[in-house]
């Protein structure tokens, strides 16, 4: 039986909308609305959906970079959102994040080597005399060279900057990394290099990933299981093989129809969804997807479909399944 490293239980993250002279709360943006799943030790879990579906908010709430509205995040048996500051600080190195744009999180005036090493010193995990060696070792593991230590962020290409972002996370010796759209700003050939690096590191260091992406083809190469989100809710979750072989939710089918097939003799019929994702401040009634679903019926507008296990380890929320 797989051992859970992290459990997300009925997680909600709402952002209040204020209005009027007294800035009263007049509504909420329900960015994450009652989402539950677990990520097993050594597993790579892919979270996909269009931008605005709440996947990045989940990543940040799991790491407590954002406070939760409700629910629980349990990491190695600890309820992350109940920890006091000292305990949270001691656990932080074990939970890291790689951002889509590492450049924006790097100070342009600080040498890259120093930027990578600063959290080690800050957390007291390494002495000042040892830190340079640790950074150089990590740069090499991430496919960079020792001389890059003394370079500044603007001297690197997009792919190299993402390697720096990975090195910054890796140097803390984490168990769990949230990779938030880590390759979506990169050219396709560079994307493959970064995904291969993440995959190699996972093997070598027994890392566990939450890999967030709007692109199912990216997730396909790295992830063991996939969760599909729509407007703050999980609508389908299954192993990668099952999700690609037997997608059940109409939204997943639409996302999958956009994934290219490597065999030029085969073609998938593209399902183009109408309109944009509705506002999470005012989600549609019943099934949140009914305004764009090609299969919607009357019941879909009135009743929220139950999210349930329809086959072993295959969960879906749709009245038609
Ligand atoms: Fe479409 Fe209805 Fe299923 Fe929602 S419940 S995905 S609207 S068929």
């Amino acid at each position: 039986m797989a051992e859970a490293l992290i459990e997300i239980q009925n997680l909600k993250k709402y952002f209040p909308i204020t209005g009027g002279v007294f800035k009263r709360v007049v509504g909420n943006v329900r960015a994450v609305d009652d989402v539950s799943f677990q990520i097993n030790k050594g597993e790579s879990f892919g979270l996909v959906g269009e931008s605005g579906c709440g996947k990045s908010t989940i990543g940040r709430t799991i790491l407590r970079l954002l406070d939760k509205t409700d629910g629980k995040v349990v990491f190695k048996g600890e309820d992350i959102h109940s920890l006091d500051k000292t305990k949270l600080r001691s656990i932080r190195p074990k939970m890291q994040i790689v951002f889509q744009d590492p450049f924006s999180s790097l100070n342009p005036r600080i040498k890259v080597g120093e930027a990578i090493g600063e959290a080690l010193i800050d957390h007291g995990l390494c002495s000042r005399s040892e830190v340079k060696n640790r950074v150089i070792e990590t740069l090499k593991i991430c496919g960079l060279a020792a001389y890059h230590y003394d370079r500044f962020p603007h001297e690197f290409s997009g792919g190299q900057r993402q390697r720096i972002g990975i090195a910054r996370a890796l140097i803390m010796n984490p168990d769990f990394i949230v990779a938030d759209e880590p390759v979506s700003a990169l050219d396709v050939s560079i994307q493959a290099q970064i995904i291969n690096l993440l995959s190699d590191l996972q093997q070598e260091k027994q890392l566990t990933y939450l890999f967030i992406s709007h692109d199912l083809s990216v997730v396909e190469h790295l992830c063991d299981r996939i969760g599909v989100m729509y407007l703050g809710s999980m609508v389908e979750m299954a192993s990668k093989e099952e999700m690609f072989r037997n997608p059940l939710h109409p939204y997943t089918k639409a996302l999958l129809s956009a994934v290219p097939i490597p065999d030029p003799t085969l073609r998938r019929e593209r399902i183009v969804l109408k309109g944009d994702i509705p506002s999470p401040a005012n989600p549609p009634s019943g099934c949140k997807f009914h305004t764009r679903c090609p299969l919607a019926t009357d019941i879909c507008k009135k009743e929220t479909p139950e999210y349930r296990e329809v086959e072993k380890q295959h969960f879906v929320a749709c009245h038609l399944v």
Side-chain angles (χ1 to χ4, degrees):
M1 173 108 177
E3 185 190 344
L5 182 77
I6 188 152
E7 289 174 79
I8 292 95
Q9 300 169 1
N10 307 102
L11 189 65
K12 292 183 185 172
K13 175 63 191 173
Y14 295 174
F15 295 97
I17 305 166
T18 53
V21 184
F22 299 107
K23 299 267 180 245
R24 289 212 174 94
V25 176
V26 292
N28 284 297
V29 173
R30 300 173 178 203
V32 179
D33 202 5
D34 200 1
V35 172
S36 301
F37 60 102
Q38 70 174 47
I39 308 176
N40 299 321
K41 226 173 170 182
E43 185 182 38
S44 183
F45 187 96
L47 202 53
V48 296
E50 290 161 290
S51 72
C53 72
K55 54 194 190 310
S56 291
T57 306
I58 285 198
R60 284 164 170 74
T61 313
I62 287 174
L63 298 179
R64 205 171 147 184
L65 300 177
L66 292 171
D67 287 331
K68 65 167 188 179
T69 301
D70 202 0
K72 247 185 181 183
V73 177
V74 180
F75 175 71
K76 292 176 130 184
E78 303 270 13
D79 179 355
I80 290 298
H81 286 262
S82 302
L83 297 177
D84 62 27
K85 270 189 178 171
T86 315
K87 186 73 185 156
L88 180 65
R89 196 174 148 72
S90 72
I91 225 166
R92 276 248 176 267
K94 293 290 165 198
M95 306 173 84
Q96 291 292 305
I97 186 164
V98 174
F99 294 103
Q100 177 181 352
D101 176 16
F103 191 60
S104 59
S105 61
L106 290 168
N107 185 329
R109 282 181 288 271
I110 294 185
K111 287 177 186 172
V112 153
E114 288 167 14
I116 293 172
E118 68 187 358
L120 267 185
I121 295 172
D122 196 34
H123 281 269
L125 297 175
C126 187
S127 66
R128 283 188 182 275
S129 59
E130 282 171 42
V131 73
K132 188 166 183 179
N133 286 339
R134 280 278 295 274
V135 172
I136 288 172
E137 188 190 322
T138 310
L139 283 171
K140 288 180 180 168
I141 291 171
C142 294
L144 295 164
Y147 65 82
H148 286 132
Y149 184 99
D150 290 311
R151 298 270 167 97
F152 290 92
H154 71 271
E155 298 178 73
F156 292 87
S157 66
Q160 285 176 320
R161 281 178 199 156
Q162 199 48 283
R163 288 177 189 275
I164 294 166
I166 294 168
R168 238 183 156 182
L170 196 69
I171 201 161
M172 304 305 283
N173 197 21
D175 293 320
F176 175 60
I177 294 181
V178 174
D180 188 2
E181 300 269 13
V183 298
S184 55
L186 304 175
D187 292 343
V188 175
S189 60
I190 310 292
Q191 283 189 0
Q193 292 173 15
I194 297 296
I195 288 172
N196 287 340
L197 172 63
L198 287 168
S199 177
D200 292 346
L201 291 173
Q202 185 178 29
Q203 304 285 324
E204 283 165 30
K205 312 263 176 200
Q206 281 90 47
L207 294 169
T208 302
Y209 291 143
L210 173 62
F211 192 93
I212 295 168
S213 176
H214 66 278
D215 185 350
L216 262 169
S217 56
V218 168
V219 165
E220 183 183 5
H221 296 291
L222 188 71
C223 296
D224 306 299
R225 279 191 305 140
I226 297 174
V228 179
M229 280 191 73
Y230 186 77
L231 217 54
S233 302
M234 193 77 90
V235 295
E236 186 162 8
M237 183 168 68
S239 69
K240 172 181 69 183
E241 292 76 16
E242 172 74 359
M243 193 69 95
F244 276 78
R245 188 185 58 81
N246 182 29
L248 296 175
H249 197 282
Y251 182 57
T252 312
K253 288 180 185 176
L255 291 182
L256 267 172
S257 76
V259 175
I261 305 176
D263 183 344
T265 62
L266 297 175
R267 285 190 68 189
R268 265 196 196 114
E269 196 175 331
R270 183 84 195 261
I271 303 168
V272 181
L273 293 174
K274 297 172 287 176
D276 293 326
I277 190 164
S279 165
N282 186 21
S285 59
C287 172
K288 291 178 187 172
F289 187 52
H290 85 253
T291 53
R292 301 171 77 200
C293 181
L295 305 176
T297 59
D298 277 351
I299 190 178
C300 305
K301 295 177 193 162
K302 295 180 203 139
E303 286 181 27
T304 306
E306 189 192 348
Y307 178 72
R308 63 192 209 288
E309 191 171 15
V310 290
E311 285 172 31
K312 196 166 187 302
Q313 291 300 309
H314 191 159
F315 298 79
V316 68
C318 175
H319 289 306
L320 293 188
V321 180

